[in-house]
Amino acid sequence: MDYELMQLPYKYDALEPYISSETLQFHYDKHHAGYVAKLNELTKDSESASYSLVEHIQKSQGAIFNNAAQIFNHDFYWLSLTAKQTKPSETLQASIIEHFGSIQKFQEIFTQKAQGHFGSGWAWLCAHKDGTLSVQTSSNAKNPIEDSLVPLIVCDLWEHAYYIDYRNVRAKYLENYWQVLNWDFASFNYEHYPEFIEAMQGLKEFPSFKYQ
Ligand code: FE
């Protein structure tokens, strides 16, 4: 199959002043598009060309894994962001309070883990099979689906996500992440996490979030 670059669900300048138009253009047009072009090149004439991105994450290795996972992670990152004011659904809010104490405490824990992550990677809020929530970070292209966890939101910790706007100051980028976080996406993923688990086992289609 031809892997396609997901359409960015907002304009380049939509997330300003927290994430600049210049950052978004570089991040999407160069980095994200680059992974798509590379995956198409790597899987051309290969058996794994029929794999979905999730199947690559579960089964592929090396460069194919890295590029496929980076496409998934960036798709997930764009959906995790919005210019709209959003808030967690009642169900997600209750679960965050149960697992972290409060929304604020959750944000502190997420920020701390993201800040403490060494080098390139990703910070995730994940749901486990039993509904437990946890904050995870992953290195380079790695993704919690490998551990059968359902990602609810992600923050890109690669320097290309913030270097233009914040130089090396990841803390400032993380502080502003909360200004553009798409709680609608997090809530949708949480409401549908049992379906995600079945989908990860190949039993059904992945629930598809309609970006508004
Ligand atoms: Fe990135």
Side-chain angles (χ1 to χ4, degrees), residues 27 74 122 156 158 160:
H27 201 168
H74 282 90
W122 302 84
D156 191 338
W158 286 59
H160 67 227

Side-chain angles (χ1 to χ4, degrees), residues 92 94-107 109-110 124-126 132-136:
L92 177 59
S95 187
I96 287 176
I97 292 170
E98 183 192 340
H99 292 99
F100 301 101
S102 66
I103 298 286
Q104 197 193 335
K105 191 76 195 147
F106 153 67
Q107 291 181 335
I109 290 166
F110 187 100
W124 310 81
L125 172 63
C126 295
T132 310
L133 297 183
S134 71
V135 174
Q136 309 279 332

Side-chain angles (χ1 to χ4, degrees), residues 185-206:
F185 184 55
S187 304
F188 174 88
N189 291 331
Y190 186 61
E191 315 291 332
H192 292 85
Y193 87 82
E195 289 162 58
F196 268 91
I197 287 171
E198 286 186 73
M200 289 193 294
Q201 296 162 347
L203 300 174
K204 56 161 66 175
E205 292 286 300
F206 280 87

Side-chain angles (χ1 to χ4, degrees), residues 35 71 111 139 185:
Y35 296 124
I71 299 169
T111 304
S139 288
F185 184 55

